[in-house]
Amino acid sequence: MKRSSLRIETIPLLHDNHSHAALYAAMASCPDIAALDAGPALSFLESLPADRLSVVRGWRTNELPLDQGELGALPPLLLINFSLHGFALSDAALPIVSGLVPDLAANRDDPDWREANVPRLFDAYCGLSGLDGAKLASFLDGLKPLGIGSSEDMTLPNAQAARAILDAGLKERIAFWAAPGVYRTLDAECRAACSGVKLFLDGSIGARTAAIRGPWLGGGAGILTYSDDTLLAELENIASWKTGLSVHAIGELAIDQALSSLACARANGASWPLVRLEHVQLISRDQAFRARDMGLVLSMQPNFTSDSTDYADRLPKASLEGNNPFRMLIDQAGFRPGKDLIFGSDGMPHGIANPASLSLFPPYPGQLLSLEELVTGYGPARGVSGSVSLEIDEAAGSARVLASG
């Protein structure tokens, strides 16, 4: 008798250690083109109203590149990159956006400004979409059937979002972090609830702005948003607040800057209760051992293992293979899932099915995670209990959530 390739695993509701709960809750009412092929996506954009601004999310530049001529022919449109780091404005949107968020309009063609002002972009996206406690609760309710019971908001759009989380009674299920500018505006209660301060050192692979070592295929420019001196001063300033620290670093150059600047700040007497490096998708073996010896927590996204196939148009083969090197991190550098190696999704997409598929059936062997490692790295949901059934199809190389428990 042929053995079935299917197996069912029951797992608890999990905690997503890296997402953007307030922003996703606000944008839930915005059209999402992430699942559309290029032709249908473009047709949808062309069909949008001509008399008002449309905010659309899920734009994948590798699947739907748009030049200035194509943007000039579209109705009023703010198109948000799938990575959340970049955006495009149609010509027809400029007069509207100039009145609502003039800095976005003024810098629509400036990638350096966009990467240096990601928290400002989130604030603008959230403001254009609207946010309240009901939207936050609805967002969390939508995650439970996907296997996620609680989430971390890694970049509060603004102080109002923190207040909405607390007023809705959701602070246990939505931990939040804030950029320095937003942290300064938080009241005492919100500061006490805030997990720490988040810095962005570089861009994203999707926007071709991550600070990778070596050239991008087909063009692109890695961006470091801080000079070394400015970053050191910011790290020492954050240390004075006695709060946690989270650092976005994807490319090798950004990871090097993070490690060197943290070491220098510590030598100057700075300390933080917790230091997390976010993403570190292209971390080298040497960088991994340095991070381990420094006692840093790596916060990574197993679903971004798909970048090894999705972005073959822009990353050299060595980078595709070196993306998310989980076996090296665990087996050689000694990182421990759930301790100093934690997992989240960045909401791209939400849920545990996609990370499970890419962990159990990755493009490269070095990206493999067992189901136990994956679940432990996420950790149990906070403030809510429950379980889901995960169907794992060995033949198809995929996993999907069947039902809530």
Side-chain angles (χ1 to χ4, degrees), residues 303-349:
N303 47 301
F304 286 173
T305 293
S306 66
D307 288 0
S308 294
T309 53
D310 292 344
Y311 293 133
D313 66 325
R314 61 197 65 184
L315 288 175
K317 189 175 188 304
S319 295
L320 299 176
E321 188 169 359
N323 172 40
N324 276 356
F326 294 127
R327 294 292 13 125
M328 178 271 288
L329 292 172
I330 296 170
D331 300 337
Q332 298 178 35
F335 282 93
R336 301 154 297 169
K339 301 293 185 181
D340 50 7
L341 177 61
I342 59 176
F343 300 139
S345 72
D346 216 2
M348 303 176 190

Side-chain angles (χ1 to χ4, degrees), residues 18 83 85 115 199-213 216 223-224 247-256 258 277-284 287 299-301 304 307 311 315 319 322-325 346 348:
H18 185 120
S83 71
H85 279 246
E115 295 302 348
L199 299 178
F200 287 86
L201 300 197
D202 67 337
S204 70
I205 295 174
R208 294 179 180 263
T209 51
I212 67 173
R213 181 174 286 127
W216 290 85
I223 291 173
L224 286 173
V247 181
H248 166 116
I250 291 179
E252 302 97 323
L253 300 181
I255 298 168
D256 261 340
L277 298 185
E278 307 296 325
H279 306 306
V280 292
Q281 288 177 246
L282 301 175
I283 189 170
S284 70
Q287 290 171 334
S299 171
M300 303 181 70
Q301 295 70 45
F304 286 173
D307 288 0
Y311 293 133
L315 288 175
S319 295
N323 172 40
N324 276 356
D346 216 2
M348 303 176 190

